[in-house]
Amino acid sequence: MSTGSISNIKERSVILLLNVSIILYVAFLSALCFLKYRAFAYWDFDLAVHSQIMWNILHGSLYNSILGINFLGNHVHPITFLLAPFYKLFPHPCTLLFLQSLALGAGAYPLYYLARLIVGYRWALLIALLYLINPLLGFINLYEFHPIAFSTFFLLCTLYYFQKNQFRNYLLCMILAMSCQENISLAVIALGFYALLKRKKRAWIITPIVLGVLYFCLCIFIILPYCNKGVIEFISIYSQLGDSYSSILIKIITHPGEVIKVMFTGDKIKYLNELFSLFIYIPLLSPLSILPALPFFLQHLLSNREAETMIFYHYTAEIVPFLFFAYINGIKKIASLEWVKKNQAAAAGILFLSAFASSTIMGPYIVLLEHRKNFLQKTQLDLEKDLLLKEIPPDAPIVATFEFLSHLAHRKSLYSFHHVYIGTYTISSKKYLLPPDAQYALIDSNDHQTFYAFLKQNPLACFDDFINSGNWKTRRVINNLILFQKGEKDAYPLYDVLKSEPAISNVNRCRINSSIEFLGHETADIRNNYLNCILYWSSTQKTSDDIDTVFTIMDASGKLIASLYSPLCYRILPSYLWKPNSIIKEYKYIKLPEWFSAGKYVLSLKFFNRITDKYLEPSVGCSCGSVYLTDFTLNE
């Protein structure tokens, strides 16, 4: 057998290993995404937005009711139309999650062949494997769904055909990359200048620059304004630099010192360090290769949106191809060192182990598996959520908190409750008014994204006005989950504001702070693993504290068995909005965990201040910071 034949057999083995690795990646990530969806662990609205976009396209509409605009007014991603036929075959949000996993995993192919051109097939295999275990890829894949994720694949193909000198394929992949989001056109422009520095022929220089400028202007000045109608104000993300594209550009040119201060704060330096540390800083050995990604770095570093300078979201999708391109060229320089030439296996092992360590320490997988009960396992409470969803007619207009949105996406009228809560559209100062056609509301009053993250935007937010003005009545309540329906008679009262203190069966006064006192409780009954009780509160004066309750359940030996965080008055009327000299009667419907065994238990109550992020130590009437409520027994 000739040397060439041996080499060919070895490379076929390499390709086989690459194929197996990609299949494993796509299967593993798709499974994780499916489990996340099944466990209601998609806690933002992006998956729901794009699922509804697909459903609407298949039903002849470009409108997205969650965003309140034509979907092309949010981001210009015509690739959505290319994905729609797949969604027609398999109309389910998990189809989008699978396609995203497939596109990201398939990126290892053009990356391998790109690296093979520069450093040979052995190094190319290592680089492709490192790509598949890179934390950035995992975070992009697991955080909701975004068309921008497909740009990773198309940009890697673009770089491969650039290196291969195949202009037509290069141009096609470039156009497909731009179809993923409007800002990719900036990288296309930068590729034209990169081609100039690489002394490519005129077509490689002029075509990307002209194409990129035309497409960017088309998107920014025509498509987005026409479809947006002034709802989403992306320019506000750069408000520290100006209130228009021209004023921002002038600021960058005339006050570079101030701009540098904006770009290199502590958190943003940390972000850059995390990005490059995942590659052991090897891309810095070939800074020219990162040039096409410069517009994205500027976009993120100039933004006042924290998520853009974190590695946990999808914002690195457009940067990953150029980091790996620079990584390949950096490895080319390292591979030319005499020690590396003599010890290729050791050098490759060091690179792989360092990448594996970073994936373990900084990646999503270990945390995801450690907290699989929250992210991946379907609990009894999740089964209750399924039952709540079944009570809603499939075409009924509904507003819901984040975790339910993707499960409700296949309908014409779906609204996100966080808009109601903060009172404006996302990234907007425009007032949000819930459309009057909404007939149902499915609310998790302990939804973290809505009632924690967005509370920072509106410290006095509540939804008491929403309940009172919409004629909403409770249909079902389970822990913090509430299903409302318009016009229905209240099946489950939530709270009452009383004029005077009533007779209370179990008086147990406990002063929570200088303004609020817990008066006592009534335990209604325990049946079918539900524990119903009524709590009484007194407000002597207005407070700035945001107090919530935590129910704790202990067994007969005093061991903590379970705890349930429960917002006061279901967050509808938080403590900082209680009027002086008022009495609050609050109804709680607690679903006991399904794994509770028969025996005796003790139910107690603790108090938590969201403002300080600490448990309160009540001064009067409490033992060890908690209030005893009742003993109860579960039978077989």
Side-chain angles (χ1 to χ4, degrees):
M1 183 181 291
S2 67
T3 305
S5 299
I6 294 172
S7 176
N8 191 40
I9 291 171
K10 286 182 179 179
E11 185 162 7
R12 284 205 299 268
S13 300
V14 165
I15 296 297
L16 177 63
L17 179 56
L18 177 63
N19 289 336
V20 170
S21 300
I22 291 172
I23 291 170
L24 289 174
Y25 172 89
V26 174
F28 180 60
L29 268 296
S30 296
L32 289 181
C33 290
F34 171 75
L35 292 174
K36 275 192 68 179
Y37 177 84
R38 184 171 172 268
F40 292 87
Y42 280 98
W43 296 328
D44 211 326
F45 70 176
D46 303 67
L47 175 59
V49 164
H50 292 287
S51 298
Q52 195 198 33
I53 288 170
M54 289 293 180
W55 188 85
N56 279 342
I57 287 174
L58 296 176
H59 288 78
S61 173
L62 302 184
Y63 184 75
N64 182 262
S65 64
I66 302 174
L67 299 173
I69 56 174
N70 181 314
F71 82 87
L72 293 172
N74 181 38
H75 285 296
V76 183
H77 38 71
I79 192 174
T80 302
F81 297 105
L82 300 180
L83 300 177
F86 297 98
Y87 205 81
K88 185 173 180 60
L89 290 173
F90 306 100
H92 195 280
C94 287
T95 299
L96 295 181
L97 298 174
F98 170 75
L99 291 173
Q100 180 170 256
S101 300
L102 181 63
L104 289 169
Y109 279 123
L111 179 64
Y112 168 80
Y113 287 107
L114 173 64
R116 184 179 179 275
L117 290 174
I118 300 172
V119 291
Y121 73 86
R122 291 184 177 87
W123 283 108
L125 175 64
L126 174 65
I127 292 166
L129 295 178
L130 296 184
Y131 165 84
L132 292 172
I133 65 171
N134 191 280
L136 298 178
L137 204 68
F139 284 121
I140 296 165
N141 208 147
L142 290 167
Y143 180 66
E144 302 287 324
F145 170 86
H146 304 91
I148 190 67
F150 292 81
S151 72
T152 302
F153 174 81
F154 291 124
L155 285 172
L156 285 168
C157 291
T158 300
L159 291 170
Y160 168 71
Y161 289 118
F162 180 92
Q163 198 73 24
K164 190 76 172 172
N165 283 313
Q166 294 182 4
F167 184 75
R168 288 184 179 179
N169 290 336
Y170 168 73
L171 190 59
L172 173 63
C173 291
M174 182 186 296
I175 292 170
L176 287 170
M178 286 196 298
S179 76
C180 298
Q181 195 160 290
E182 66 280 352
N183 65 331
I184 301 298
S185 58
L186 298 175
V188 168
I189 296 169
L191 279 169
F193 289 102
Y194 181 72
L196 175 64
L197 295 173
K198 285 293 185 178
R199 298 181 179 179
K200 287 272 194 178
K201 292 181 179 179
R202 188 176 300 174
W204 292 80
I205 300 167
I206 296 175
T207 305
I209 293 175
V210 172
L211 186 64
V213 169
L214 290 176
Y215 189 71
F216 181 79
C217 292
L218 173 67
C219 293
I220 298 300
F221 300 113
I222 298 177
I223 297 177
L224 284 170
Y226 178 78
C227 297
N228 190 333
K229 306 298 184 185
V231 172
I232 301 176
E233 301 164 347
F234 278 115
I235 201 73
S236 65
I237 296 173
Y238 308 99
S239 58
Q240 69 273 37
L241 300 175
D243 57 4
S244 66
Y245 292 107
S246 58
S247 63
I248 290 173
L249 184 59
I250 291 170
K251 181 88 168 184
I252 291 172
I253 295 171
T254 59
H255 296 83
E258 293 182 27
V259 173
I260 289 171
K261 286 181 181 179
V262 170
M263 291 176 61
F264 296 104
T265 60
D267 288 342
K268 292 175 181 179
I269 291 172
K270 179 185 176 185
Y271 163 70
L272 292 173
N273 183 53
E274 286 177 342
L275 271 183
F276 287 99
S277 67
L278 293 174
F279 298 85
I280 330 175
Y281 304 100
I282 290 175
L284 297 178
L285 297 175
S286 182
L288 188 61
S289 304
I290 309 175
L291 174 64
L294 183 60
F296 303 134
F297 280 108
L298 289 173
Q299 173 191 330
H300 298 164
L301 296 176
L302 292 174
S303 171
N304 58 28
R305 182 164 50 178
E306 291 182 2
E308 289 199 37
T309 48
M310 294 181 179
I311 66 171
F312 315 119
Y313 300 97
H314 59 289
Y315 298 105
T316 58
E318 62 260 40
I319 293 176
V320 164
F322 301 106
L323 285 174
F324 270 98
F325 185 46
Y327 185 66
I328 293 167
N329 286 300
I331 283 180
K332 181 181 180 182
K333 294 182 179 180
I334 291 173
S336 65
L337 299 175
E338 197 62 35
W339 183 87
V340 175
K341 287 180 181 178
K342 294 179 180 179
N343 301 276
Q344 278 197 11
I350 291 170
L351 289 177
F352 183 83
L353 289 175
S354 64
F356 184 80
S358 69
S359 180
T360 303
I361 296 168
M362 301 176 66
Y365 306 114
I366 298 299
V367 173
L368 200 65
L369 294 173
E370 284 179 350
H371 297 277
R372 57 188 176 275
K373 187 174 181 180
N374 292 328
F375 288 100
L376 304 176
Q377 292 181 356
K378 196 172 185 71
T379 64
Q380 183 65 36
L381 191 59
D382 292 330
L383 294 174
E384 298 286 352
K385 293 174 184 177
D386 285 333
L387 294 176
L388 289 174
L389 290 171
K390 288 179 180 178
E391 292 193 30
I392 303 163
D395 58 348
I398 182 171
V399 58
T401 45
F402 286 115
E403 67 197 282
F404 298 110
L405 291 175
S406 59
H407 295 259
L408 294 163
H410 289 181
R411 66 190 65 226
K412 180 181 176 181
S413 299
L414 173 64
Y415 312 105
S416 180
F417 187 76
H418 83 283
H419 289 142
V420 175
Y421 188 65
I422 64 175
T424 63
Y425 288 86
T426 303
I427 316 179
S428 178
S429 60
K430 184 176 180 179
K431 186 177 181 180
Y432 181 83
L433 296 174
L434 180 67
D437 67 338
Q439 294 299 311
Y440 288 83
L442 183 52
I443 311 298
D444 181 350
S445 62
N446 197 34
D447 179 75
H448 185 275
Q449 187 76 348
T450 298
F451 300 110
Y452 288 70
F454 287 102
L455 187 62
K456 296 175 183 177
Q457 296 184 22
N458 188 355
L460 296 179
C462 70
F463 60 103
D464 184 45
D465 288 343
F466 164 77
I467 298 298
N468 294 330
S469 63
N471 193 29
W472 295 101
K473 306 298 181 183
T474 56
R475 179 165 172 161
R476 286 284 304 278
V477 182
I478 306 169
N479 290 357
N480 299 311
L481 307 175
I482 315 167
L483 177 60
F484 294 99
Q485 185 176 359
K486 275 187 178 176
E488 291 290 310
K489 182 179 179 181
D490 266 331
Y492 296 84
L494 300 178
Y495 69 90
D496 293 312
V497 180
L498 308 178
K499 294 181 179 179
S500 60
E501 185 175 326
I504 302 173
S505 301
N506 301 287
V507 177
N508 190 355
R509 292 181 178 273
C510 174
R511 183 156 292 282
I512 310 305
N513 65 6
S514 60
S515 306
I516 295 176
E517 183 180 18
F518 176 71
L519 301 178
H521 73 281
E522 294 174 9
T523 303
D525 60 348
I526 302 171
R527 67 179 68 164
N528 299 326
N529 270 38
Y530 282 90
L531 189 154
N532 300 335
C533 65
I534 299 172
L535 308 178
Y536 292 92
W537 309 86
S538 171
S539 174
T540 57
Q541 60 186 9
K542 196 165 181 63
T543 182
S544 59
D545 286 343
D546 187 5
I547 300 170
D548 281 340
T549 55
V550 182
F551 288 92
T552 61
I553 301 175
M554 297 185 179
D555 63 15
S557 67
K559 180 182 177 182
L560 179 66
I561 302 299
S563 60
L564 170 67
Y565 195 101
S566 182
L568 272 180
C569 296
Y570 298 90
R571 200 78 201 158
I572 298 170
L573 189 66
S575 59
Y576 52 76
L577 292 180
W578 288 5
K579 295 179 180 179
N581 302 315
S582 58
I583 305 295
I584 309 294
K585 181 180 181 181
E586 183 182 13
Y587 301 81
K588 293 294 185 182
Y589 309 91
I590 302 171
K591 178 72 170 66
L592 300 175
E594 68 277 9
W595 42 263
F596 263 38
S597 57
K600 294 183 177 180
Y601 298 93
V602 177
L603 179 69
S604 299
L605 193 63
K606 290 189 173 185
F607 311 98
F608 187 83
N609 189 345
R610 289 194 188 214
I611 304 298
T612 61
D613 222 23
K614 294 180 180 179
Y615 281 94
L616 289 164
E617 293 291 340
S619 56
V620 180
C622 290
S623 174
C624 299
S626 64
V627 174
Y628 166 80
L629 293 181
T630 187
D631 294 343
F632 64 93
T633 301
L634 289 181
N635 300 316
E636 291 287 357

